Amino acid sequence: AVLVESLLVFIVVLSVHAVVWDRFSWCAIALAVQAFYVQFKWDRLLQLGGAVFRFRGAANSGLLPASMVIPLLGVVMKERCRAAGIVYFERFGIVVASTGMLLALFLSVLAVGITKPVPTNTCILTGIAGSVIIYTMKHSLTVSEVIEVLEVLLIFVYLSMILLYLLPRCFTPGEALLVLGGVSFVLNQLIKRSLNVIEGRGDPIDFFLLVAVVGVVLLGLFFTVLFLFMDSGTWISSMFFHMMTAVLGLGVIMPWLYRLIQRNPLFWLLQFLFQTQTRLYLLVYWTFLAASACGVVFYQNAKRSSESKKHQASTITRKYFHFIVVATYVPGLIYDRQLLYVAAVLCLAVFIFLEYVRYFRIKPFGQTLRHLLSLFLDERDSGPLILTHIYLLLGMSLPVWLFPRSCAPKGTLPGAGALVPYSGVLAVGVGDTIASVFGSTMGEIKWPGTKKTFEGTMTAIFAQIIAVALILIFDSSVNLNSSYAWILASVSLVSLLEAYTTQIDNLLLPLYLQIMLMA
């Protein structure tokens, strides 16, 4: 299974660089080759329990698929912005690619360093890949850009040491690279933009995303350290939690956002949300869907109480939420992507805040949330945090947040790139859902080395093709320009990756589909 997963990742890397070939292509290929070898060192460390931190079990390290995501995103973003003539974002793409390569290389060096006896051949490969990457960065980045890349690496090292210690068994090494690398990059961007505020420059919704992500992460770190010294389950601790959340929100996060957007954040948000009648209709519709999702949770828990305390939600039941999320995102993508962007940020902040309430058992809802959500746990929620619903939201939202709006003058990219914002809907909302439902109910022929079925993968590919046809019918901004073969190949590769990966597919699959469509 690991070999097939690696082969699929290599096919994606070579496919992207067959279209976009430049000096970074050699770096990406060298990084992929050394990550393939180091991945087995990480797997061995995980099996022997010598990986320094406690990572999520029942999965391989996932180093190769995770290592290639950020570099490939940077490369395709650079190419799209170069074609559009937007130099600032072309340079930004180069910084993203360089940062991703350096973070992946750091994880590889870490694995090689703690493996005993020292693997000579892997050390040589890692050294060669590192030399190629550093040589290319030397001739591609300015001094300020090199400093920016090193800042992200430094933040990543400290965040990794803190969070992987505080949250054992929540991530594989690959998932840690993606999640903590992304948070490190966001934090560095926020610091950089806060120090260089120019009135009228920058989109407020981008600042809103940066501040929200950094705000909830800092909130979590603060309370994690605090509750090491006091019991979080008492009423006094709960009152202190709510009070400090209000103080940090109104006293730190709001002024920070005010400095960036140069206006009152609450007034700006209210004006933005109710700016048009279409937005009002969408908000009412989304409220109804949110109530429906809550209804599913309460109904399934009532069913558990009446049947058996050991009752667990089935795969099909968990996929109800995928259908609800698709019904949420598709109208937003068609009618108002900016509103969807902001609404997804708000939902992410609410989800993470509720997870803090559940994890710390904050009264009055902490214990209730623990009871309600325990029904929907699967083998991937082996750590103290329940992250699968947050990963689902991230998988659907990242293609919307990472879409290079400044490099798409008409609001959409040409050819297959027009489907980039729909990557999450196609890969997770449609593909992963249909594969799980049909595979678990009608699948008989299993892919070698996995529990996934041939029938599930084939129906997922077919369903995504139908979804693309429906998007063409209902979204007039999408014009594929006869790039159907590339779309079919992209969907097929990502569906096969879903069958073979043991990483969090809600997070990984949309990013790979986005990379392929942007290329």
Side-chain angles (χ1 to χ4, degrees):
V2 176
L3 291 175
V4 177
E5 179 192 47
S6 302
L7 175 64
L8 291 168
V9 173
F10 273 109
I11 291 173
V12 171
V13 171
L14 294 174
S15 300
V16 168
H17 290 293
V19 180
V20 185
W21 187 266
D22 58 13
R23 65 176 68 175
F24 283 95
S25 301
W26 294 110
C27 295
I29 292 170
L31 182 68
V33 171
Q34 71 86 31
F36 172 73
Y37 281 93
V38 174
Q39 180 171 253
F40 293 103
K41 306 305 174 189
W42 265 117
D43 291 343
R44 187 165 174 270
L45 287 168
L46 294 176
Q47 290 166 5
L48 299 175
V52 183
F53 300 106
R54 285 182 289 168
F55 291 99
R56 182 167 69 85
N60 62 31
S61 64
L63 185 66
L64 174 59
S67 292
M68 301 316 300
V69 169
I70 301 176
L72 290 179
L73 270 174
V75 167
V76 293
M77 184 187 298
K78 170 186 74 69
E79 192 63 21
R80 285 290 186 175
C81 294
R82 186 191 62 78
I86 312 295
V87 177
Y88 175 81
F89 283 100
E90 181 186 350
R91 300 300 307 174
F92 182 73
I94 292 173
V95 171
V96 171
S98 302
T99 303
M101 290 177 186
L102 208 59
L103 294 181
L105 197 63
F106 169 77
L107 262 192
S108 298
V109 171
L110 181 63
V112 170
I114 60 179
T115 300
K116 302 297 179 188
V118 176
T120 309
N121 294 338
T122 309
C123 282
I124 293 170
L125 271 176
T126 304
I128 293 171
S131 302
V132 171
I133 291 168
I134 292 171
Y135 178 82
T136 304
M137 287 173 60
K138 178 179 179 293
H139 289 84
S140 303
L141 301 178
T142 62
V143 174
S144 62
E145 289 169 345
V146 170
I147 293 171
E148 186 175 348
V149 170
L150 294 176
E151 286 170 351
V152 177
L153 178 61
L154 188 63
I155 294 169
F156 175 77
V157 171
Y158 281 107
L159 264 184
S160 299
M161 288 192 296
I162 296 169
L163 292 179
L164 292 178
Y165 173 75
L166 294 174
L167 303 172
R169 305 183 311 279
C170 284
F171 308 101
T172 63
E175 291 159 6
L177 173 61
L178 276 181
V179 175
L180 302 183
V183 172
S184 303
F185 197 87
V186 166
L187 178 56
N188 185 66
Q189 284 297 307
L190 182 59
I191 294 170
K192 177 185 171 184
R193 297 189 188 195
S194 299
L195 295 174
N196 298 289
V197 174
I198 300 174
E199 189 172 355
R201 182 173 179 179
D203 195 328
I205 67 173
D206 290 331
F207 293 134
F208 188 64
L209 171 63
L210 296 176
V211 172
V213 171
V214 173
V216 292
V217 170
L218 293 179
L219 195 69
L221 286 173
F222 174 78
F223 285 119
T224 300
V225 173
L226 178 69
F227 289 136
L228 288 174
F229 303 99
M230 59 190 295
D231 182 9
S232 62
T234 64
W235 273 107
I236 293 176
S237 297
S238 299
M239 290 174 63
F240 187 73
F241 174 88
H242 296 302
M243 183 181 70
M244 287 306 299
T245 299
V247 168
L248 290 170
L250 298 175
V252 177
I253 295 172
M254 287 297 175
W256 201 346
L257 193 52
Y258 179 86
R259 171 175 168 77
L260 290 167
I261 66 175
Q262 301 293 310
R263 67 190 88 166
N264 187 299
L266 289 176
F267 290 156
W268 168 81
L269 183 61
L270 289 172
Q271 182 185 8
F272 178 87
L273 292 177
F274 302 107
Q275 196 167 20
T276 65
Q277 198 169 23
T278 303
R279 290 186 175 178
L280 193 59
Y281 289 149
L282 281 171
L283 290 172
V284 171
Y285 170 66
W286 288 342
T287 304
F288 168 74
L289 289 177
S292 303
C294 293
V296 171
V297 173
F298 288 122
Y299 172 74
Q300 290 296 326
N301 274 274
K303 191 175 175 183
R304 172 171 65 172
S305 300
S306 62
E307 291 181 1
S308 166
K309 289 188 177 181
K310 292 184 178 179
H311 173 73
Q312 284 295 113
S314 65
T315 300
I316 295 176
T317 301
R318 287 200 294 269
K319 297 306 174 184
Y320 287 161
F321 298 104
H322 286 235
F323 286 118
I324 290 173
V325 169
V326 170
T328 302
Y329 274 71
V330 170
L333 287 167
I334 293 174
Y335 294 110
D336 198 327
R337 291 182 185 178
Q338 282 202 323
L339 178 65
L340 180 64
Y341 187 113
V342 172
V345 174
L346 287 172
C347 280
L348 178 66
V350 170
F351 275 22
I352 296 177
F353 178 75
L354 289 176
E355 181 56 22
Y356 291 157
V357 171
R358 187 206 66 84
Y359 175 63
F360 293 122
R361 305 188 309 279
I362 301 299
K363 296 179 182 297
F365 302 113
Q367 203 59 44
T368 304
L369 282 172
R370 284 195 166 213
H371 175 72
L372 290 175
L373 295 180
S374 64
L375 176 66
F376 300 95
L377 294 178
D378 62 15
E379 69 277 1
R380 293 173 296 185
D381 291 311
S382 57
L385 296 185
I386 300 176
L387 297 172
T388 44
H389 60 297
I390 297 174
Y391 283 138
L392 175 60
L393 179 65
L394 281 174
M396 302 292 286
S397 305
L398 283 173
V400 180
W401 295 338
L402 298 176
F403 180 74
R405 297 190 309 279
S406 302
C407 303
K410 296 179 180 178
T412 184
L413 295 172
L419 291 173
V420 165
Y422 288 94
S423 299
V425 172
L426 291 171
V428 174
V430 177
D432 182 41
T433 305
I434 296 297
S436 295
V437 171
F438 278 84
S440 60
T441 55
M442 296 190 301
E444 294 183 1
I445 306 170
K446 293 190 183 296
W447 290 107
T450 77
K451 296 178 181 179
K452 305 295 178 68
T453 64
F454 174 80
E455 293 89 346
T457 303
M458 291 302 108
T459 49
I461 294 171
F462 185 63
Q464 288 175 81
I465 293 168
I466 294 174
V468 170
L470 292 173
I471 291 168
L472 279 170
I473 293 170
F474 290 103
D475 191 345
S476 57
S477 67
V478 175
N479 181 13
L480 300 182
N481 296 335
S482 302
S483 52
Y484 302 108
W486 184 265
I487 293 169
L488 177 60
S490 303
V491 164
S492 301
L493 276 172
V494 171
S495 297
L496 284 169
L497 188 60
E498 186 274 336
Y500 277 96
T501 189
T502 56
Q503 305 304 296
I504 299 290
D505 47 13
N506 289 349
L507 185 63
L508 198 66
L509 302 183
L511 293 172
Y512 267 102
L513 186 57
Q514 178 174 4
I515 288 165
M516 290 293 290
L517 294 175
M518 279 185 69

